[in-house]
Amino acid sequence: MFDFLQQHRRFLVLPVDALLAGLAFYVACGLRFDGFDPSAWPIFPGWGEFLRITGTLVVAKVTVLIIIGVYRSLWAYASIYDVVQIFKATLLGSLAGVTVLLFYNRLEGVSRSALILDGMFFFLLISFRSFSWRIVRDLFLFTAPRHGRRTILIGAGLAGGRLLRELRDEVEGELFPVGLLDDDSSKRGAVMQGLPVLGRLDDLARTIRDYNIESVVVTEKYSSARMRMIYRVCEENGVSCKTLPPLRELLSRKKIGQSLRELSLEDLLGREVVNLETSEIKTAFKEKTILITGAGGSIGSEVCRQLFHCEPAALILFEQAETPLYEIDYELRNMQTVANARRPQIVSVVGDVRDESALRSIFQNYDIQVVFHCAAYKHVPMMELNPGEAVMNNVIGTIRLAEAARDASVDRFVMISTDKAVNPVNIMGATKRIAELYIQNLARATETCYITVRFGNVLGSNGSVIPLFSRQIENGGPVTVTHPDIIRYFMTIPEAAGLVIQAGAMGQEGEIFILDMGEPVKIRDLAEDMIRFAGLTPHTDIEIKYIGLRPGEKLFEELLLAGEGIQPTRHRKIHIALSKLVNLATLQRQIQKLAEAARANNRSAIDERIADILPEYKPVYTLGPPESRTVFEEEEQRHRSS
């Protein structure tokens, strides 16, 4: 019996609603006829007739309330939706009652204005009854003394409103919000759910001091500069700083307060994660046999993980380094075991993209339909020391793989490139640009769809600056930055891999896809933020040492060549650079001469052959200390003017 009452306890208010239904009609008639004695009303001969008509209306109204589902609502969380439901139920209930009375000829002489007032009063009484608990809670419980940390919410938008409602529901919650900050001038001085918008983000330091704030929660996505400002102000004032995931994730969660997390480095970099078209991607690669070169690398391994969930027929993992290949092979097979899935088939092959016979053997043994070419030498200083290897791997290896895919009638070929391919000043960037050119123009001579994806630096990838800074901080410093003004574009590994896969699904022919990378980040700021994340003070606890630009390194990276132009796609964060058309036969002859110079590892000859192919190639060798900036004056001026 107790369990039944617990399950249906919302229906316990039904007698109250029946009483309110009768009261509404009684008050309506009393106001209409200037008195509350039914025996004196001209429409009723006495109390008996009044009670019969009232009973009919009560039964009709309460029945409709049950049918509409009003009693399924949780009144502690009553909302506009519930008001609409109550309005529909009371309107239909009143109409149903009138219809029944009309059917039994009981409406003769009953005032129409009394019936209208009855419906209005019934709606108001049921609404008040439904919202009474929320009114008491919001007006009295929430204003009672709280033990949570005094908190400011940054962002008076949809996510901030949802979080605020949830925090108000938790009387003994961890956080006690006292106000909001927002840069929208129209919200200044406004009130959200009883809490004031206290000012702009620039007022954060003052607000923390004036209101004894102990915690800050960032509810919206801000630029990297804004996020770093928020973090630094919180750090300087000894205040904890947390944030929420993207809004699209929050909208699918019932309780967003549990999603609060500490600020991450990605938040400070201001990267908005790209929302991929999952259904289209899955359709494009389901039941396909896919070859991934460089499968053990940072990007290649993440491409493998994401493709695994697209239900391909087989994943062919091709990698030169045995240990990384073993690790991703083991991980994917473990994912299969956990998912209890027989597909995809996983095949791991140790090999080199320069080995033409090995490549053709793979295409002969497996019916490969899609290729993701992630294999490349990527470290700029190392390739400056080994230019011949850079050419043979990044250019010749790509050509041999692309031609093997063409001969095997592969459907799609997706190659990863880099922002360093734009106006290259180093061997690595130049080799990737030549590979781009070859892929673009090969696409015009074959039915295989060739696609290139160009993006910037990847957070946390093998050999990237973040793992290096982490090790240096752990060792007590110094943190080495090449130049105080050097800037880079950043993205996360999952985002980079997702973009590559998205391009593979939506690309057509010879296109270069470019991600909207957001704002570039100063490496100096990144180093300081990482030191602060470790709970230390830059330049005091950990020294930052400027060591000079490395061979082949640029101050500024670009994503577009002059004249390339840019076209939008249906995806707001992905764009297409226009193809540069050249004579393929001429390009092949030029690359053959470049390969001869590379085999001889003759740097000057390599540079000459590259310049024949890429007039924009301006190689920079050994650079001096930071104060020797004359090498970059022209580049810096061009960047700032653009």
Side-chain angles (χ1 to χ4, degrees):
M1 182 66 179
F2 178 76
D3 291 339
F4 177 83
L5 290 176
Q6 280 288 95
Q7 184 176 356
H8 301 282
R9 63 186 182 277
R10 290 188 297 277
F11 288 96
L12 296 178
V13 299
L14 194 147
V16 176
D17 287 352
L19 180 63
L20 294 177
L23 179 63
F25 185 59
Y26 174 72
V27 173
C29 290
L31 292 176
R32 169 65 180 82
F33 298 110
D34 299 323
F36 291 93
D37 181 5
S39 61
W41 297 339
I43 60 173
F44 298 122
W47 278 93
E49 183 65 16
F50 167 74
L51 292 175
R52 280 191 291 273
I53 292 178
T54 302
T56 302
L57 290 173
V58 167
V59 171
K61 292 175 182 177
V62 172
T63 301
V64 172
L65 290 178
I66 296 173
I67 294 173
I68 293 294
V70 170
Y71 297 108
R72 289 197 295 268
S73 296
L74 298 173
W75 299 116
Y77 306 98
S79 63
I80 297 298
Y81 169 81
D82 298 297
V83 174
V84 174
Q85 289 294 95
I86 292 171
F87 177 77
K88 289 193 301 184
T90 54
L91 177 62
L92 293 175
S94 296
L95 291 175
V98 170
T99 302
V100 172
L101 292 173
L102 185 64
F103 182 79
Y104 287 104
N105 295 319
R106 295 285 186 179
L107 274 182
E108 185 179 353
V110 177
S111 170
R112 284 174 292 181
S113 59
L115 292 173
I116 294 172
L117 287 173
D118 167 57
M120 295 172 56
F121 289 150
F122 186 50
F123 169 71
L124 294 173
L125 289 171
I126 294 296
S127 297
F128 179 78
R129 188 272 300 163
S130 301
F131 281 80
S132 57
W133 164 243
R134 181 166 178 177
I135 292 171
V136 170
R137 183 199 62 194
D138 289 354
L139 292 182
F140 301 103
L141 295 181
F142 185 68
T143 56
R146 298 282 295 272
H147 302 292
R149 297 200 307 274
R150 295 176 62 82
T151 302
I152 281 289
L153 304 188
I154 295 183
L158 178 59
R162 282 199 60 188
L163 178 60
L164 183 55
R165 281 196 300 272
E166 186 172 310
L167 294 177
R168 289 165 68 99
D169 292 337
E170 299 176 357
V171 178
E172 296 299 330
E174 179 186 352
L175 303 178
F176 175 48
V178 298
L180 305 98
L181 297 178
D182 199 291
D183 276 340
D184 187 347
S185 58
S186 65
K187 297 178 181 178
R188 204 164 310 155
V191 174
M192 175 182 279
Q193 300 181 39
L195 293 185
V197 178
L198 299 171
R200 298 169 51 84
L201 269 65
D202 292 331
D203 300 320
L204 179 59
R206 175 189 58 78
T207 304
I208 290 174
R209 292 190 299 269
D210 293 349
Y211 292 87
N212 298 318
I213 299 302
E214 302 168 275
S215 180
V216 170
V217 177
V218 182
T219 66
E220 296 182 7
K221 191 71 179 179
Y222 291 100
S223 67
S224 58
R226 269 319 209 193
M227 292 298 288
R228 285 197 295 272
M229 182 276 289
I230 294 169
Y231 179 73
R232 289 170 185 171
V233 169
C234 290
E235 183 195 35
E236 290 168 0
N237 289 274
V239 170
S240 70
C241 187
K242 295 186 177 182
T243 188
L244 288 170
L247 181 59
R248 59 179 175 273
E249 294 181 24
L250 295 181
L251 293 176
S252 63
R253 303 181 185 183
K254 291 184 178 179
K255 291 187 72 66
I256 66 175
Q258 297 173 353
S259 304
L260 287 175
R261 57 174 173 79
E262 298 295 335
L263 224 59
S264 67
L265 196 57
E266 287 85 348
D267 296 317
L268 299 186
L269 293 175
R271 295 295 304 132
E272 181 181 350
V273 177
V274 172
N275 187 23
L276 301 175
E277 298 170 350
T278 309
S279 59
E280 181 195 17
I281 291 173
K282 190 169 184 177
T283 301
F285 301 116
K286 187 174 183 178
E287 298 299 327
K288 298 292 178 67
T289 299
I290 306 173
L291 171 67
I292 305 101
T293 69
S298 303
I299 301 298
S301 60
E302 182 62 24
V303 168
C304 292
R305 294 183 193 100
Q306 294 192 23
L307 285 174
F308 177 90
H309 298 291
C310 296
E311 301 177 13
L315 293 177
I316 315 299
L317 316 182
F318 191 80
E319 172 62 61
Q320 185 180 28
E322 175 200 15
T323 300
L325 179 61
Y326 169 80
E327 290 172 350
I328 187 61
D329 178 280
Y330 179 84
E331 182 179 343
L332 293 178
R333 294 183 190 278
N334 187 58
M335 288 167 63
Q336 265 185 332
T337 302
V338 172
N340 194 23
R342 299 179 59 187
R343 306 293 286 271
Q345 179 187 8
I346 298 170
V347 179
S348 295
V349 180
V350 177
D352 193 324
V353 291
R354 293 175 289 187
D355 189 339
E356 191 172 359
S357 61
L359 292 176
R360 296 195 179 276
S361 174
I362 291 175
F363 284 101
Q364 289 171 3
N365 294 334
Y366 304 97
D367 183 20
I368 295 172
Q369 295 150 293
V370 181
V371 174
F372 283 91
H373 181 35
C374 307
Y377 286 146
K378 65 176 184 177
H379 296 293
V380 170
M382 192 60 64
M383 292 305 98
E384 290 300 298
L385 298 174
N386 299 274
E389 284 296 303
V391 171
M392 296 306 297
N393 190 75
N394 294 356
V395 178
I396 306 304
T398 298
I399 290 173
R400 288 175 178 169
L401 179 66
E403 292 180 346
R406 175 200 60 192
D407 296 342
S409 299
V410 166
D411 296 335
R412 289 177 177 268
F413 184 103
V414 184
M415 183 191 80
I416 290 181
S417 188
T418 171
D419 54 1
K420 295 174 179 61
V422 180
N423 295 317
V425 299
N426 54 62
I427 286 291
M428 195 282 280
T431 56
K432 295 301 287 185
R433 178 56 187 156
I434 294 171
E436 285 184 0
L437 270 178
Y438 191 86
I439 290 297
Q440 281 183 302
N441 288 277
L442 182 64
R444 296 185 296 150
T446 177
E447 294 183 359
T448 297
C449 178
Y450 288 93
I451 303 155
T452 301
V453 186
R454 183 191 291 167
F455 49 77
N457 296 270
V458 179
L459 285 169
S461 64
N462 296 332
S464 69
V465 69
I466 288 179
L468 171 63
F469 285 174
S470 295
R471 290 194 299 270
Q472 291 176 335
I473 293 170
E474 288 174 5
N475 294 330
V479 171
T480 56
V481 177
T482 56
H483 194 286
D485 295 329
I486 193 168
I487 63 173
R488 290 292 181 265
Y489 293 98
F490 283 98
M491 64 194 309
T492 65
I493 292 176
E495 184 181 13
L499 171 65
V500 171
I501 296 172
Q502 177 77 71
M506 68 190 294
Q508 298 298 320
E509 178 181 304
E511 297 159 321
I512 295 181
F513 284 85
I514 299 174
L515 174 68
D516 180 354
M517 298 288 295
E519 300 178 13
V521 176
K522 273 194 173 185
I523 302 301
R524 176 187 63 192
D525 293 341
L526 177 61
E528 292 176 348
D529 289 334
M530 289 190 65
I531 294 171
R532 292 189 182 96
F533 259 72
L536 303 170
T537 304
H539 309 290
T540 302
D541 299 323
I542 298 289
E543 177 190 1
I544 295 179
K545 184 177 181 180
Y546 299 105
I547 59 174
L549 288 163
R550 297 175 297 178
E553 196 167 44
K554 298 168 70 175
L555 273 180
F556 310 107
E557 297 292 2
E558 303 156 276
L559 289 169
L560 277 176
L561 283 163
E564 266 189 328
I566 195 168
Q567 290 181 340
T569 69
R570 64 177 181 271
H571 196 295
R572 69 182 184 87
K573 300 290 287 185
I574 301 176
H575 310 284
I576 299 175
L578 301 182
S579 301
K580 179 181 179 181
L581 303 182
V582 299
N583 184 282
L584 185 59
T586 301
L587 179 60
Q588 288 172 329
R589 289 193 295 270
Q590 291 173 324
I591 290 174
Q592 186 175 359
K593 293 180 181 179
L594 174 61
E596 293 172 359
R599 292 188 186 97
N601 203 29
N602 185 329
R603 177 59 191 257
S604 59
I606 290 173
D607 283 340
E608 290 176 8
R609 301 288 81 80
I610 291 176
D612 291 340
I613 303 170
L614 306 175
E616 70 270 20
Y617 175 56
K618 307 295 182 185
V620 177
Y621 298 107
T622 303
L623 303 174
E627 58 269 18
S628 303
R629 302 184 186 186
T630 55
V631 177
F632 289 96
E633 285 178 356
E634 182 180 346
E635 177 195 349
E636 186 171 358
Q637 182 62 37
R638 183 181 72 249
H639 174 82
R640 288 180 176 167
S641 63
S642 64

